[in-house]
Amino acid sequence: MERLRIATRKSPLALWQSEHVADALRARHPGLHVELVPLSTRGDEILDRSLAAIGGKGLFLKELEIAMQAGDADCAVHSLKDVPMTLEPGFAMPAILLRSDHADAFVSDSAASIDALPQGARVGTSSLRRQAQLRARRPDLDIRDLRGNVNTRLAKLDAGDYDAIVLACAGLLRLGLASRIRARLDAPDWLPAPAQGAIAVECRDDAPMIHTLLAALDDAPTRRCVEAERAMNRALHGSCHVPVAAYARLEGDRLLLDGLVGSAADGRTVRASGEGAPAEREALGSTVAARLLELGAGAFLPG
């Protein structure tokens, strides 16, 4: 195969991630011509409503999958945290790249941390997971919706629409905006979205040559961790409609997983943890999900 076409969203972060994958493919496969196919998705176009209200994170994938089905692209690059827990039939994910920073970032022009914000400060995020953890920590805050790409969100903060916003550290780092991170919100006190910080490459499952090309980029330790997180989320039927957080890490020959389910309305949360062999990561995710349900997480999940 001499040419590989990567479908990508048009946001600066999505383009950076796709070019990162393209560079890695060129390095692993000298002589391979890799080109980007930028596309607009409904998730990018509808910014006046939350993702939960317009159909979920799958809206970031649909147009890219249609392009692959039509033969207009060979693969697609995604932030794995935006990929639904179960792929559409006919698609596979041969590559999950080395994970970047998994943590959330507290970003503010006036305060150094969540705890330093004044009473009633306006904090921007449309993530129910972030809202639940913010309300658990600071029930007095005025939490407001915030959509758009990274630069759009930062511009709204700088314009004074918010006193602080919460973003993913990985996105800021990839765009050369590390200086905007006032504080990292890190495990175990604050948990990220399942698979946050990981880039995945999707392709049709009937394309063995493309599978082979992409599999060269797969990072096995990252895959073990994020598959445990996604298994927990899948067992809870999690989506952007539900505040679910998870973080897995390898310690020696053991895989440790922390999970959280909460209420964006009032900040109530339940947490559970577990550990197991990396090869049994799916079972570990299901076990932690079951513990969360035993502790009352069902009260925060759709009926």
Side-chain angles (χ1 to χ4, degrees), residues 119-141:
Q119 193 88 0
R122 299 158 300 163
V123 181
T125 176
S126 292
S127 160
L128 299 181
R129 171 189 61 83
R130 290 169 178 158
Q131 290 178 15
Q133 293 183 89
L134 281 166
R135 287 202 164 96
R137 191 152 161 178
R138 288 285 305 271
D140 62 289
L141 295 176

Side-chain angles (χ1 to χ4, degrees), residues 99-293:
R99 190 180 210 168
S100 179
D101 195 325
H102 63 271
D104 274 336
F106 174 80
V107 183
S108 175
D109 295 328
S110 59
S113 67
I114 293 174
D115 296 332
L117 286 168
Q119 193 88 0
R122 299 158 300 163
V123 181
T125 176
S126 292
S127 160
L128 299 181
R129 171 189 61 83
R130 290 169 178 158
Q131 290 178 15
Q133 293 183 89
L134 281 166
R135 287 202 164 96
R137 191 152 161 178
R138 288 285 305 271
D140 62 289
L141 295 176
D142 177 10
I143 300 174
R144 302 185 179 187
D145 280 341
L146 175 63
R147 290 280 315 281
N149 65 42
V150 171
N151 289 318
T152 297
R153 297 185 198 198
L154 290 171
K156 290 179 178 179
L157 170 70
D158 295 339
D161 295 350
Y162 306 90
D163 298 301
I165 61 177
V166 180
L167 301 171
C169 282
L172 292 167
L173 293 169
R174 288 167 181 159
L175 292 173
L177 296 168
S179 62
R180 299 304 303 261
I181 301 172
R182 295 297 299 272
R184 290 177 75 254
L185 305 175
D186 202 358
D189 298 329
W190 181 286
L191 296 183
Q196 184 162 304
I199 295 172
V201 193
E202 179 187 24
C203 70
R204 288 167 49 159
D205 63 6
D206 60 356
M209 191 176 299
I210 295 170
H211 273 244
T212 300
L213 289 171
L214 298 177
L217 306 186
D218 195 60
D219 183 73
T222 295
R223 181 177 285 273
R224 293 180 187 117
C225 291
V226 299
E227 286 185 347
E229 296 165 14
R230 286 170 61 81
M232 188 205 86
N233 201 15
R234 190 181 305 114
L236 294 168
H237 305 290
S239 68
C240 61
H241 299 268
V242 183
V244 173
Y247 179 58
R249 63 203 181 278
L250 287 163
E251 292 190 2
D253 61 354
R254 303 296 285 172
L255 183 61
L256 283 63
L257 174 63
D258 295 319
L260 174 149
V261 180
S263 165
D266 59 23
R268 288 179 296 152
T269 60
V270 294
R271 291 171 174 264
S273 301
E275 67 174 90
E280 298 171 355
R281 50 195 177 274
E282 295 278 340
L284 174 59
S286 297
T287 297
V288 173
R291 289 176 183 169
L292 287 165
L293 291 171

